[in-house]
Amino acid sequence: MRPLREHSIVVVEDSEEDFTAFKRALRRNGVDVSVVRFTDGEAFLHALRDDHHPRSPSLVILDLNLPALNGVEVLKELRDDERLRSIPVVVLTTSADPLDVQRCYHLGIGGYFLKEGDFAEFCGKIGSLTDYWLNAVHLP
Amino acid sequence: MLEVDLTNCDREPIHVIGHAQPHGALLVVDPKTLAVVQASASVFDHFGLVADAILGRSVLDFIPERAAEAFENAVADEDIEGNPTHLGVLALNARGPFHLVAHTFDGALILEAEPAEPRDETDYRTLPRRMLRALGDAKGSQAYYDAVVHEARVLTGFDRVMLYRFAKDGSGLVVAESAEPHLDPFLGLNYPASDIPQQARRLFALNTVRLYPDVDYRPSPMIPAANPLGDGPLDMTHCVLRGVSQMHTKYLQNMGVKASMALAIVQNDELWGLIACHHYSVRHVSYPTRAACEFLSRLVSLQVADKEAQDGSEYREGMRDRLERLTSRLYTTPDIETAFARGEETVLGLMNVGGVAVVDRDRVALLGNTPTVSQVRALVSWLALNQKEPVWSTSELRGGFAAAEEYAACAAGLMSVQVSQNSGTYLLWFLPEQVQTINWAGNPEKPVELSETSDRLSPRGSFELWQTIVAGQSRPWLDDEIAVATSLRTSLVEALVHRADEIMRLNVELQRRNADLDTFAQVAAHDLKEPLRGIRNYSQFLEEDYADKLDDEGRSQLQTITRLSSRLETLLDSLLRFARVSREDFGDVRCDLSQAVSEAQALVASALTRSSGEIVVHGTLPVVTGDLDLVIEIFVNLFTNALKYNESGAPRIDVSAEGAIVRVSDNGIGIPERHQEAVFALFKRLHGRDAYGGGTGMGLTIVKKAMERLGGGVTIESIPGEGTTFVLEFAP
């Protein structure tokens, strides 16, 4: 297992405020990993496919409401690409629409999280999430 | 000779009656030899010779020499075949002078001689012009009829002149009358068709003028009885002096009438009516006057059709105008009843009828004289099964539908316009029984001289017989009226289709707008939540990071911001839930209410514990049509409310069901009746924002919307202070 320091999380999130909240939650949980952010799906996919990229992320935190290519479409692209298929993806979004939930799990995400209004609760969730993915499970 | 009575009078062979009226003399002459072969007995009275003394002799023996050649030329003229022609005024057998009328028929030359009046004061030259003017000035058929009888009376001087018109069924009606003031009027009298048998009508049509100067005349038999030139008795079809039928004589005698003249009005070779003249003493009418009468009757024959057509066309135009106005209302009113049965101008005024019923599915509107509502419904049920054409009419409804006997007085005649058989939409026009509208002024008390064989032979007798014939019948429907009803139906169907299209269009529009609205709510709620979350988060971060730099007031203000944004988020969540309830398509699924209730119970478990509440389900709950999640949402909302709005300290919710109706009762604070409708409104709370644990005011809105989506509804029963019961009507 890679030491914590060597994990990297990629966050695909276009909202500045939401990203700030996420980072804060990570800090609050004492998670010290490198976080790379993309504000849109295209750029993210492009970077992944770029052979010059050091290594694939340990975990992708994907918002669904993205400009241009939306989250579900990004997921599809990931799943269709042999090289990118096994990257763990977790969705962090506002949409509680059962259809969205269904679609995402169908496309093989590792978890679907709702953005909480209550920051304390949000922190708790982020804590569970990172603990699971970065500590508990073995990553590909 | 055939003994004629009421049972066989329609077979009385009046054209070969075998005798002449004695006021003239009738000679039958062989056209080839000019020998007299048959003569009426009255030749004795007029020529002073018995019949036998004339038979066999040449007719020229009796004609003045100077007239002989003209006579021979005239009788050789083909034009007199079946056409009695006036040959002139001359002496016959040195007697007279006589008006001599001749015609040939069936191989015989028939001469009829009537004594000429010495002095005739009638100005025959101006007569035609005067008549034309009087009749031409008349406006409308009634005025025309009145002018006709007036002119005829002036011309002939009879005590009574009537214009008598035949209906399609052959019965007659006195439509106009000019009479001596002391006489009982016969105006408005109806006669059954049998009063004037078929053979009499045929003869009237051929003769144009029939005169009986003395009904008590002594018949003057033809001598010999058989016509030597033919087979059997003389065919007197065209004879002016032909004898009168026994029934007619009896009838006139019963009335006290002594002299009678009838002028035929003919339309298309058929008898349209008669100008009937009666006199209460013997009355002769001179040949010239009769000729003027013939002119009058031919004139009327020509004109009467136009006058009636005028009436007809006025009625028709009037109906068309009213029809147009009525049908235009269809496009501006919501239903048939409002368009046709309300307001100043209703469908009752469209035609001359007694009453109208407008039946639109389960609604019945009655105008004028009609059967009762339940009778009309029964009639419509019958029509739904039996009416084959879209527009059907009858003048005797009880003939086809026995139950109509009950109301034959007001609805003997029916015209039914079937707009929709399936939905039972009909327009029904009713005509009253004809006898109801007849106002004959005939005196029922007046004693009539009757012979023993029949008191039927009298105007009253005729009228009573006519009444029995037309009992239960209305006047016939006019072709124009049927045409108008058909037009109305077409317009109505068009309007309904138009309305259906309009409704469909509006529905589509409504659905589109609803969809837009729901999408809007959905999107708005969604997009609004993001900055809202941002506000909450940053307020919190501010509080955490800069708490030490803020004083109490500052911290309190920040907390307010957090609290307010929290509230806003809750409201948005509710709105989102509401929008989803409105928008989603649930399909035709079934839901076990027991399962829904127990799952809802689980979802409010923490609230139950916190409030020390309990939920009790009584009996089994049914399976209904509905989406499980939606139903759970409904119960969660109701349970949450019940637990919140409770001051008893031990909230208790009872759930029971009767069929597909579920009752959720609580022992809470109750809802006053005047607010029971308002509580379902969006964001509506009856209490302060923070009272009873706060709330968005959306809970019941969602419940109501959800019940509607499930094809049911929700109502409230509540007494403030005692509790509330929500009655949920599910679709079974």
Side-chain angles (χ1 to χ4, degrees):
Chain A
M1 188 164 65
R2 272 177 255 161
L4 209 61
R5 269 250 85 201
E6 288 178 27
H7 286 300
S8 69
I9 297 179
V10 166
V11 179
V12 189
E13 169 64 68
D14 71 320
S15 159
E16 194 64 48
E17 294 80 28
D18 283 350
F19 184 56
T20 307
F22 177 73
K23 279 196 300 189
R24 196 180 174 98
L26 281 183
R27 271 203 312 277
R28 189 66 70 84
N29 281 291
V31 175
D32 180 21
V33 292
S34 66
V35 178
V36 178
R37 177 194 173 202
F38 293 92
T39 52
D40 73 88
E42 292 261 19
F44 165 62
L45 290 168
H46 188 79
L48 275 184
R49 288 172 176 142
D50 184 355
D51 289 328
H52 294 303
H53 199 274
R55 56 172 180 256
S56 53
S58 317
L59 182 65
V60 175
I61 312 282
L62 179 67
D63 184 19
L64 295 184
N65 287 338
L66 297 168
L69 218 60
N70 70 40
V72 172
E73 284 161 341
V74 170
L75 268 174
K76 280 196 191 130
E77 293 252 8
L78 285 175
R79 292 314 165 218
D80 283 343
D81 192 330
E82 278 299 318
R83 297 170 297 167
L84 308 175
R85 210 175 185 153
S86 53
I87 300 176
V89 179
V90 151
V91 164
L92 178 61
T93 184
T94 53
S95 170
D97 191 341
L99 277 170
D100 282 334
V101 178
Q102 193 82 322
R103 274 194 219 112
C104 291
Y105 275 105
H106 194 73
L107 290 164
I109 57 172
Y112 192 104
F113 290 84
L114 289 175
K115 288 176 185 170
E116 288 287 347
D118 185 310
F119 187 67
E121 280 188 46
F122 183 63
C123 277
K125 289 216 180 113
I126 298 300
S128 307
L129 193 164
T130 48
D131 202 28
Y132 178 86
W133 283 101
L134 304 178
N135 291 336
V137 300
H138 198 85
L139 292 169
Chain B
M1 188 159 79
L2 177 67
E3 192 58 39
V4 180
D5 59 31
L6 280 165
T7 61
N8 64 3
C9 62
D10 58 344
R11 285 174 280 134
E12 187 185 5
I14 38 184
H15 64 298
V16 290
I17 202 162
H19 69 263
Q21 296 181 65
H23 63 278
L26 197 154
L27 300 175
V28 181
V29 173
D30 184 334
K32 293 191 274 286
T33 65
L34 293 183
V36 177
V37 299
Q38 208 181 9
S40 63
S42 57
V43 289
F44 180 70
D45 303 308
H46 296 286
F47 300 154
L49 292 169
V50 293
D52 287 330
I54 302 179
L55 294 174
R57 291 171 64 180
S58 166
V59 72
L60 292 172
D61 287 353
F62 309 101
I63 292 175
E65 243 185 79
R66 63 182 184 287
E69 200 184 326
F71 174 79
E72 282 182 278
N73 289 338
V75 301
D77 191 346
E78 278 161 12
D79 267 351
I80 67 169
E81 173 67 22
N83 181 18
T85 307
H86 189 246
L87 296 186
V89 179
L90 58 161
L92 291 171
N93 199 33
R95 299 247 190 146
F98 296 95
H99 286 288
L100 186 61
V101 172
H103 73 279
T104 54
F105 193 62
D106 209 17
L109 167 64
I110 299 170
L111 302 174
E112 296 177 278
E114 271 175 87
E117 300 286 315
R119 212 175 46 244
D120 197 334
E121 268 145 34
T122 312
D123 182 357
Y124 289 104
R125 279 173 305 163
T126 61
L127 200 62
R129 201 180 327 138
R130 219 190 62 224
M131 268 193 221
L132 278 168
R133 183 152 10 104
L135 299 187
D137 284 348
K139 296 281 172 266
S141 42
Q142 189 56 51
Y144 184 76
Y145 301 153
D146 291 337
V148 167
V149 294
H150 175 79
E151 288 302 308
R153 185 135 175 268
V154 163
L155 181 58
T156 62
F158 272 75
D159 287 333
R160 182 200 303 273
V161 175
M162 294 175 283
L163 179 58
Y164 187 85
R165 193 174 114 207
F166 294 115
K168 269 192 213 153
D169 65 352
S171 70
L173 172 65
V174 178
V175 295
E177 182 178 52
S178 172
E180 286 290 308
H182 69 274
L183 294 172
D184 270 350
F186 286 168
L187 180 63
L189 177 64
N190 285 88
Y191 290 88
S194 57
D195 262 20
I196 302 186
Q198 215 21 60
Q199 70 275 35
R201 286 177 205 246
R202 188 184 70 84
L203 287 174
F204 270 125
L206 290 171
N207 297 151
T208 310
V209 179
R210 280 293 288 156
L211 171 64
Y212 317 128
D214 181 359
V215 297
D216 295 320
Y217 73 97
R218 213 183 55 199
S220 181
M222 294 308 293
I223 299 167
N227 175 12
L229 295 173
D231 264 330
L234 176 66
D235 189 333
M236 299 175 80
T237 295
H238 296 279
C239 295
V240 172
L241 296 173
R242 186 178 76 235
V244 190
S245 98
Q246 291 174 43
M247 301 314 292
H248 190 53
T249 310
K250 278 185 201 161
Y251 199 107
L252 292 171
Q253 285 165 343
N254 284 348
M255 281 197 284
V257 169
K258 296 295 239 166
S260 159
M261 181 163 69
L263 311 177
I265 314 290
V266 177
Q267 287 275 302
N268 299 330
D269 293 329
E270 283 198 11
L271 200 59
W272 175 96
L274 296 171
I275 300 173
C277 309
H278 291 173
H279 207 71
Y280 290 83
S281 53
V282 171
R283 186 167 184 84
H284 289 274
V285 178
S286 71
Y287 182 80
T289 307
R290 290 209 312 273
C293 289
E294 194 175 324
F295 171 74
L296 175 63
S297 73
R298 289 199 195 275
L299 179 63
V300 174
S301 297
L302 286 172
Q303 289 187 330
V304 75
D306 269 351
K307 295 291 177 185
E308 297 199 314
Q310 230 173 53
D311 275 357
S313 72
E314 271 170 27
Y315 185 40
R316 192 170 47 238
E317 292 306 309
M319 281 196 289
R320 291 266 162 212
D321 283 342
R322 292 188 287 274
L323 178 65
E324 229 179 86
R325 288 197 292 274
L326 274 176
T327 49
S328 68
R329 285 170 63 170
L330 283 174
Y331 290 88
T332 56
T333 57
D335 55 65
I336 300 175
E337 188 181 321
T338 312
F340 285 170
R342 304 256 184 84
E344 268 179 34
E345 201 174 359
T346 66
V347 68
L348 179 61
L350 180 62
M351 300 186 229
N352 293 339
V353 294
V356 180
V358 178
V359 182
D360 186 5
R361 296 192 195 90
D362 54 343
R363 297 184 60 80
V364 175
L366 302 178
L367 302 163
N369 290 326
T370 64
T372 64
V373 170
S374 55
Q375 285 168 337
V376 168
R377 284 197 212 276
L379 175 59
V380 167
S381 303
W382 179 79
L383 288 169
L385 293 172
N386 292 284
Q387 182 170 347
K388 300 284 175 262
E389 314 96 340
V391 177
W392 178 71
S393 65
T394 174
S395 356
E396 192 174 2
L397 180 57
R398 66 178 191 182
F401 181 50
E405 175 74 53
E406 262 189 310
Y407 45 82
C410 70
L414 167 73
M415 179 149 62
S416 167
V417 164
Q418 185 183 74
V419 180
S420 164
Q421 197 172 7
N422 292 335
S423 66
T425 303
Y426 288 80
L427 282 170
L428 305 174
W429 281 271
F430 300 109
L431 283 177
E433 198 180 13
Q434 250 190 111
V435 293
Q436 301 287 326
T437 56
I438 299 308
N439 233 341
W440 181 42
N443 187 349
E445 310 304 320
K446 183 175 177 181
V448 173
E449 314 261 310
L450 301 169
S451 66
E452 268 169 358
T453 49
S454 56
D455 53 17
R456 220 298 273 136
L457 289 181
S458 65
R460 170 132 299 270
S462 291
F463 187 61
E464 281 170 5
L465 176 61
W466 176 80
Q467 277 180 311
T468 63
I469 292 170
V470 300
Q473 291 173 32
S474 68
R475 65 148 172 95
W477 289 100
L478 301 175
D479 288 339
D480 283 335
E481 289 168 334
I482 297 175
V484 162
T486 307
S487 279
L488 180 62
R489 180 183 179 277
T490 306
S491 300
L492 194 51
V493 169
E494 269 173 26
L496 288 177
V497 167
H498 174 87
R499 183 172 303 146
D501 281 347
E502 187 68 14
I503 288 175
M504 212 158 58
R505 191 187 67 79
L506 286 173
N507 268 346
V508 167
E509 180 71 15
L510 193 65
Q511 275 184 18
R512 194 183 61 76
R513 290 205 189 177
N514 275 345
D516 283 349
L517 212 62
D518 293 336
T519 310
F520 170 76
Q522 169 89 347
V523 166
H526 217 274
D527 288 337
L528 289 173
K529 287 183 78 175
E530 197 183 296
L532 192 57
R533 200 176 47 254
I535 293 172
R536 288 188 65 189
N537 281 347
Y538 276 81
S539 314
Q540 193 146 349
F541 301 162
L542 192 63
E543 212 178 319
E544 287 167 9
D545 297 347
Y546 293 90
D548 52 339
K549 297 214 173 55
L550 288 169
D551 63 354
D552 284 338
E553 181 61 25
R555 268 193 298 277
S556 159
Q557 284 173 359
L558 258 180
Q559 277 159 20
T560 302
I561 293 176
T562 310
R563 207 175 53 245
L564 284 173
S565 7
S566 209
R567 173 156 181 80
L568 190 51
E569 180 153 17
T570 317
L571 286 170
L572 277 172
D573 270 334
S574 298
L575 199 58
L576 251 177
R577 266 175 31 243
F578 175 71
R580 191 159 50 237
V581 164
S582 310
R583 190 172 50 91
E584 265 170 26
D585 228 342
F586 296 106
D588 237 345
V589 290
R590 306 286 289 161
C591 167
D592 184 344
L593 290 183
S594 297
Q595 182 188 0
V597 166
S598 72
E599 290 201 27
Q601 204 165 336
L603 285 168
V604 298
S606 51
L608 266 173
T609 327
R610 263 201 316 272
S611 60
S612 316
E614 67 167 326
I615 298 175
V616 179
V617 179
H618 301 266
T620 43
L621 301 177
V623 174
V624 298
T625 303
D627 174 84
L628 181 63
D629 287 327
L630 196 58
V631 175
I632 293 174
E633 171 92 35
I634 290 169
F635 283 113
V636 164
N637 277 295
L638 290 178
F639 293 162
T640 308
N641 277 5
L643 294 173
K644 264 171 44 177
Y645 297 99
N646 192 296
E647 284 173 352
S648 70
R652 185 188 149 104
I653 303 169
D654 293 278
V655 183
S656 61
E658 207 177 297
I661 300 178
V662 174
R663 303 172 82 87
V664 179
S665 306
D666 64 51
N667 59 349
I669 61 174
I671 304 172
E673 196 175 328
R674 64 186 180 285
H675 294 310
Q676 282 175 12
E677 219 177 288
V679 287
F680 291 113
L682 215 59
F683 291 140
K684 178 73 180 176
R685 282 195 91 215
L686 296 181
H687 308 280
R689 207 193 45 195
D690 299 316
Y692 296 104
T696 60
M698 286 291 286
L700 287 181
T701 315
I702 289 175
V703 167
K704 181 163 185 222
K705 187 77 172 181
M707 283 308 294
E708 279 169 17
R709 292 304 309 280
L710 293 172
V714 55
T715 48
I716 298 177
E717 288 166 10
S718 178
I719 298 172
E722 288 179 20
T724 307
T725 300
F726 287 89
V727 182
L728 302 168
E729 238 180 273
F730 286 95

